[in-house]
Amino acid sequence: MSSPIGDTSRPARLAEPGEGFGADELALATRNHGLPLEALRYDVTPPGLHYVLTHYDIPYVNGDAPWALAIDGAVQRQLSLGMDDLRAFPAVTARVTMECAGNGRARLDPRPVSQPWLVEAVGTADWTGVPLRLLLAEAGVDDSAVDVVFTGADHGVERGVEQDYQRALPLGVAAGDAPEVLVAYAMNGAALPPQHGYPLRLVVPGWYGMAHVKWLRDITVTGTPFTGFQQTTAYRLRQRPEEDGEPVERIAPRALMIPPGFPDFMSRERVIRPGQVTLEGRAWSGRAPVVSVEVTTDDGRTWHEADLGEETAHRWAWRAWRFAWTAKPGTHVLSARATDAEGSTQPLSQPWNRGGFANNMVQRIAVHSLDGEQADE
Amino acid sequence: MSSPIGDTSRPARLAEPGEGFGADELALATRNHGLPLEALRYDVTPPGLHYVLTHYDIPYVNGDAPWALAIDGAVQRQLSLGMDDLRAFPAVTARVTMECAGNGRARLDPRPVSQPWLVEAVGTADWTGVPLRLLLAEAGVDDSAVDVVFTGADHGVERGVEQDYQRALPLGVAAGDAPEVLVAYAMNGAALPPQHGYPLRLVVPGWYGMAHVKWLRDITVTGTPFTGFQQTTAYRLRQRPEEDGEPVERIAPRALMIPPGFPDFMSRERVIRPGQVTLEGRAWSGRAPVVSVEVTTDDGRTWHEADLGEETAHRWAWRAWRFAWTAKPGTHVLSARATDAEGSTQPLSQPWNRGGFANNMVQRIAVHSLDGEQADE
C-alpha cells in the first residue's frame, strides 16, 4: 500500500533481541493502565483501578445528546433504541472479571511491539444492562444469520486500515445464555465512565476484552462470517504472519498474587520481614470454573495447594485464594498457578504467538526477606 | 551502604544514549497512568482519567475501621481527629489542576530513569475538605514553628531508604490562604478513591503533586527545617548529584492540546482531513494566572495568539483555549505554549535537571492531513 497514511501506520513487528521498550509502546502504557496488583484485595475493583485499553481515542459523548443503538442487517424488524428504550427491558447485573487478550505480552521473547502489558491487565466489575438475546429476539433474527457484528464509536487507523472498532460474535454466542451477553449501561451501579464505553458497551462474560465493544452504536446481524480487521487480521493466534491463525476468544486460566510486604519505588521488588506471611490473590478462567490454585515460594521447585475462597454465585468473576507461608531470611521467588475444571493450567514457560495474545505464563515475584533490619542511611 | 536492601533499591541513574525504556520504567507506567489527552475536553476530569502516581503501594483502608488524623509536634494542643470531627469544620471546595513534578521526564535527553511521563501527568478535580489553617489554629502553633510535616500511610523503600511517604510545607504556606491548603475528604463530590488518598489527602493548590500527601495520617509541626528523603534527596532541581539543589514547588506554566483528528493505534500519530480544524486545549500555571496561549502549526516557525476561555472563579484550575486553523494537505507539527502573569513562558528546548522535574517544554503533535482519502486495504 503506497498511501501516505502508511508512513504513520506501520505493520506489526517483533522487537529485536535486547531492544528496550520504545516511545510508541510507552505512549500506549501512559494512556492505558493496568490494575495495581494490591487492588486484587477488592472483590469488585474500585473505579479507576480496573484495567483500561482504548485502541484509538475515547470518543466524546455529550450526556445531553440522545444516543441511539441501531439493530439491523438480517433481522425482521430494524430497531433504533434510545437509552430509555433499553432501560424498559429487564435489567441483569453480572459480576465479570475482564482481562485484555494482550496481558503478559511485554514478558514475551521475542516481544510483539504493541500495548506492553506485564501481568496487570485485569479487573472485576458489576455490569448492569439488557441481555443481548432479548434485543435479538425483539428484532427477529433471520434464519440465514451467521454472525452478529458490533460497532463502536471509536475511530482510528491500524496497520494502514482506517476503521471504527468492530468485532463479531457467532450468533450462537450472541443469542446464548451461558454466558449471557449484556448490552451494559452501568458499571458498579453508576453510569459507565467515558473510558469504559459511556453510554453503552457489550459485556461478554468469559471472553477476553476485545469482545466487549465499547461506545456501542450498532449491532448488525450478518448472513456471512465477519472478516473485519479486529476479527481476521488482529486477535489471531499465529506463529507466522501468513497463517490464518486461530481466533482469540475465551480467557485462559490465571492466578495473580498481591505482592506481599512493601515495594522499592524503582525496581518494584518486594521487601518483607521473616516469619508468618499470608500470600493471597485471585484466580479466574473464562473456560471453566477454577478448581485449584497452587503456590510456590522457591521459584517452582515445590508447589503447595492454596485454600480457595468460598464458591459464590458469580461464575464469571475471579475467586479468592490464600496460602500461609513462613518466610526465612533471604531472597525468594513466589508464583501461583490456577487450574480450571477443564484441566487447563498455567504454563511455566511462555505460550508464544506473534500477537502476544492469551498468554497466561505464571507471574514471578521476587521478595527479599530481611531480618528485622530497617533500611535507611 | 552494604545493606541487603541495597541490592533491590539502587541509586538514581540516567539512561545511556539510545537506551530504550526498561522493564522497571514500564512497571511504573503500567501501574500509574496519565490523562488521555482527549480528556482535556472536560472542565473537571472524570473519575479514572485523572493522572495517578503512587510511590509505593496503595494502602488498603477498610472503610469500616476508624481513621484518625494526628496533629502534634510544636503545638499547644495535640489533636486526634476522626472523620466526623473533620466534617464538623467548615468545608471548602476548590477546583484544582494537579500535575506531577516529573511530567515530561521521558522526553529528556539524557533521560532520568524514573516514572516515564511524556506530557500527560495532569488532571483537574473539585476537592472538598477542611482548610488546614483552621486545624492549625485549633491546635495552636508554637512561636518556634518552622515547617509542617505531613505523613501518609504508604510505606516503601527508595534508594535504600525505608520510609513512610513524608513531605513538609513551610509554616507560612501551610497556614496561608493564597493558596488555601485543604485536608480533603472528597473528590468531585464523592469519597476519595483509594488511589487518590482515601480517606484523607492534602491538597496544595498550585504546587506539583508531590506536595499533596495522600492517605494522610499525621501532621507534625516542627521547630527545625524538615530534612526527610522526599524533601532533600528527591524533588530537588540539580545539575550534578552532589548539589543541594533548589526545591521543587509551584507548577510551571504549560499548555496542552487535544490531539486533533484520529490516531494510529501504534504510533499515536494523528490523521486529519484538510480544511477547517479547531485546535483546543487547556493551560495552567501554579505561579500566576495564564494570560496568553500561542499556537504554532509549522513546528515553531510562526506563532499565533489563541482565544482564551472565559476567566472563571477557579484560580487554581486550568483555562480553556482554542484556535481556528485551516489545514492544508501534508504533515504538520502542532504546539501550544502558555505564558503566565509573571511573564514565565514555556521553553522550546528542554529545561534539564537530573530528576527530570518541573519540565514544561512545549508539546509537539505530528498530524498528517490527508486529502479526502479513506485508508484501507
Side-chain angles (χ1 to χ4, degrees):
Chain A
M1 197 185 63
S2 63
S3 149
I5 215 166
D7 298 342
T8 183
S9 189
R10 290 169 285 268
R13 73 178 188 93
L14 303 175
E16 298 296 322
E19 179 184 335
F21 295 96
D24 50 356
E25 290 166 291
L26 179 65
L28 285 167
T30 56
R31 287 177 53 79
N32 299 309
H33 68 92
L35 178 91
L37 294 183
E38 63 271 28
L40 289 165
R41 289 182 195 285
Y42 303 96
D43 290 336
V44 174
T45 308
L49 295 178
H50 193 291
Y51 99 89
V52 173
L53 178 85
T54 307
H55 275 244
Y56 314 121
D57 284 357
I58 300 167
Y60 176 66
V61 179
N62 180 339
D64 298 331
W67 185 267
L69 173 66
I71 303 184
D72 51 30
V75 295
Q76 281 144 46
R77 289 170 297 280
Q78 291 200 10
L79 303 176
S80 176
L81 302 168
M83 297 302 292
D84 288 345
D85 300 325
L86 290 167
R87 286 175 201 279
F89 283 87
V92 166
T93 297
R95 184 164 297 177
V96 176
T97 294
M98 213 179 277
E99 182 176 8
C100 185
N103 200 11
R105 177 186 288 129
R107 299 184 303 159
L108 296 179
D109 182 20
R111 180 177 86 248
V113 174
S114 184
Q115 165 70 38
W117 298 119
L118 294 163
V119 295
E120 61 291 302
V122 68
T124 296
D126 287 333
W127 301 98
T128 301
V130 189
L132 177 61
R133 59 189 175 81
L134 301 184
L135 299 179
L136 293 174
E138 180 79 8
V141 173
D142 288 348
D143 291 344
S144 64
V146 173
D147 273 356
V148 183
V149 181
F150 305 91
T151 304
D154 43 335
H155 186 87
V157 187
E158 211 160 339
R159 303 187 220 161
V161 183
E162 184 175 341
Q163 58 193 281
D164 291 340
Y165 187 87
Q166 285 191 310
R167 281 280 306 185
L169 292 172
L171 177 64
V173 175
D177 62 2
E180 184 168 65
V181 179
L182 298 180
V183 172
Y185 45 73
M187 180 184 188
N188 301 343
L192 301 181
Q195 70 274 29
H196 289 291
Y198 180 83
L200 283 181
R201 77 174 303 171
L202 205 65
V203 173
V204 189
W207 286 53
Y208 281 112
M210 78 281 145
H212 305 239
V213 177
K214 290 179 278 196
W215 311 291
L216 182 66
R217 58 175 181 74
D218 189 273
I219 297 176
T220 302
V221 180
T222 62
T224 54
F226 176 65
T227 59
F229 178 90
Q230 303 294 348
Q231 204 84 10
T232 57
T233 303
Y235 295 115
R236 307 291 288 199
L237 303 173
R238 294 189 182 95
Q239 296 298 315
R240 294 182 307 279
E242 64 276 14
E243 289 176 272
D244 283 346
E246 291 299 309
V248 177
E249 297 187 339
R250 287 188 181 234
I251 299 174
R254 192 193 294 270
L256 287 179
M257 185 185 296
I258 299 172
F262 53 86
D264 175 66
F265 170 71
M266 195 63 223
S267 71
R268 305 316 290 177
E269 291 179 12
R270 311 292 302 187
V271 178
I272 60 172
R273 306 287 176 225
Q276 290 297 320
V277 178
T278 300
L279 303 178
E280 52 188 332
R282 305 277 175 174
W284 61 92
S285 167
R287 298 174 181 170
V290 167
V291 292
S292 160
V293 172
E294 296 161 283
V295 171
T296 177
T297 58
D298 56 11
D299 204 8
R301 281 190 293 278
T302 57
W303 291 86
H304 311 277
E305 202 69 30
D307 293 326
L308 290 183
E310 254 182 87
E311 212 164 350
T312 68
H314 303 296
R315 157 67 188 97
W316 303 107
W318 55 27
R319 193 161 173 188
W321 59 265
R322 60 169 54 206
F323 177 75
W325 175 42
T326 304
K328 295 193 175 135
T331 292
H332 309 279
V333 177
L334 315 181
S335 297
R337 71 175 169 200
T339 301
D340 70 20
E342 288 183 355
S344 293
T345 192
Q346 293 182 247
L348 303 180
S349 59
Q350 61 175 12
W352 193 90
N353 59 77
R354 287 188 67 85
F357 296 121
N359 163 27
N360 63 339
M361 181 167 57
V362 296
Q363 174 195 24
R364 293 173 78 249
I365 301 177
V367 173
H368 305 279
S369 176
L370 299 184
D371 213 356
E373 168 195 24
Q374 171 93 1
D376 49 29
E377 284 176 331
Chain B
M1 197 185 61
S2 63
S3 151
I5 215 166
D7 298 341
T8 184
S9 191
R10 291 169 284 269
R13 73 178 189 94
L14 303 176
E16 297 297 321
E19 179 183 336
F21 296 95
D24 51 356
E25 291 166 290
L26 180 64
L28 285 166
T30 56
R31 285 178 55 79
N32 299 309
H33 68 91
L35 177 91
L37 294 182
E38 63 271 29
L40 289 165
R41 290 182 193 285
Y42 303 95
D43 290 336
V44 175
T45 307
L49 296 177
H50 194 290
Y51 99 88
V52 173
L53 180 85
T54 308
H55 276 244
Y56 314 121
D57 285 356
I58 300 167
Y60 177 66
V61 179
N62 181 340
D64 299 331
W67 185 268
L69 173 66
I71 303 184
D72 51 30
V75 294
Q76 282 144 46
R77 290 170 296 281
Q78 290 201 9
L79 304 176
S80 175
L81 302 168
M83 297 301 293
D84 288 346
D85 300 326
L86 290 167
R87 287 175 199 279
F89 282 87
V92 167
T93 296
R95 182 165 298 178
V96 177
T97 294
M98 212 179 278
E99 182 176 8
C100 185
N103 200 12
R105 176 187 289 130
R107 300 185 302 159
L108 296 179
D109 181 19
R111 180 178 85 246
V113 173
S114 184
Q115 165 70 38
W117 297 119
L118 294 163
V119 294
E120 62 290 303
V122 66
T124 296
D126 286 333
W127 300 98
T128 301
V130 188
L132 176 60
R133 60 190 174 82
L134 300 185
L135 300 179
L136 293 174
E138 181 80 7
V141 172
D142 289 348
D143 290 345
S144 63
V146 173
D147 274 355
V148 183
V149 181
F150 306 91
T151 304
D154 43 335
H155 186 86
V157 188
E158 211 160 339
R159 301 185 222 164
V161 184
E162 185 176 340
Q163 59 192 284
D164 291 339
Y165 187 87
Q166 285 191 311
R167 283 278 308 183
L169 291 172
L171 178 64
V173 175
D177 62 2
E180 184 168 63
V181 179
L182 298 181
V183 173
Y185 45 73
M187 180 185 189
N188 301 343
L192 301 182
Q195 70 273 28
H196 288 291
Y198 180 82
L200 283 181
R201 76 175 302 172
L202 204 67
V203 172
V204 190
W207 285 53
Y208 281 113
M210 78 281 145
H212 306 240
V213 177
K214 290 179 279 195
W215 312 290
L216 182 66
R217 58 173 182 75
D218 190 273
I219 297 175
T220 302
V221 180
T222 63
T224 53
F226 176 65
T227 59
F229 177 91
Q230 305 293 347
Q231 205 84 10
T232 57
T233 303
Y235 294 114
R236 308 290 288 200
L237 302 173
R238 294 187 181 96
Q239 296 298 314
R240 294 182 307 278
E242 64 276 13
E243 289 176 90
D244 283 346
E246 291 299 310
V248 177
E249 296 186 340
R250 288 188 181 235
I251 299 174
R254 191 194 293 270
L256 287 179
M257 185 184 297
I258 299 172
F262 53 86
D264 176 65
F265 170 71
M266 194 63 223
S267 70
R268 306 315 292 178
E269 292 180 11
R270 311 292 302 188
V271 178
I272 60 171
R273 306 290 175 221
Q276 289 298 320
V277 178
T278 300
L279 302 178
E280 53 188 332
R282 304 279 175 173
W284 62 92
S285 167
R287 298 172 181 171
V290 167
V291 293
S292 159
V293 172
E294 297 160 283
V295 171
T296 177
T297 58
D298 56 10
D299 205 9
R301 281 190 293 280
T302 58
W303 291 87
H304 311 276
E305 203 69 30
D307 293 327
L308 288 184
E310 254 181 85
E311 213 164 349
T312 68
H314 303 297
R315 157 64 190 100
W316 302 107
W318 54 27
R319 193 162 174 190
W321 60 265
R322 59 169 54 205
F323 178 74
W325 176 42
T326 304
K328 295 194 176 134
T331 292
H332 310 277
V333 176
L334 315 180
S335 296
R337 70 175 170 202
T339 301
D340 70 20
E342 286 182 358
S344 293
T345 193
Q346 293 182 249
L348 303 179
S349 59
Q350 62 176 12
W352 192 90
N353 59 77
R354 286 189 67 86
F357 297 121
N359 163 25
N360 63 340
M361 180 168 57
V362 296
Q363 176 195 23
R364 294 173 79 249
I365 301 176
V367 172
H368 305 278
S369 175
L370 299 184
D371 213 355
E373 171 196 23
Q374 171 92 2
D376 49 28
E377 285 178 329

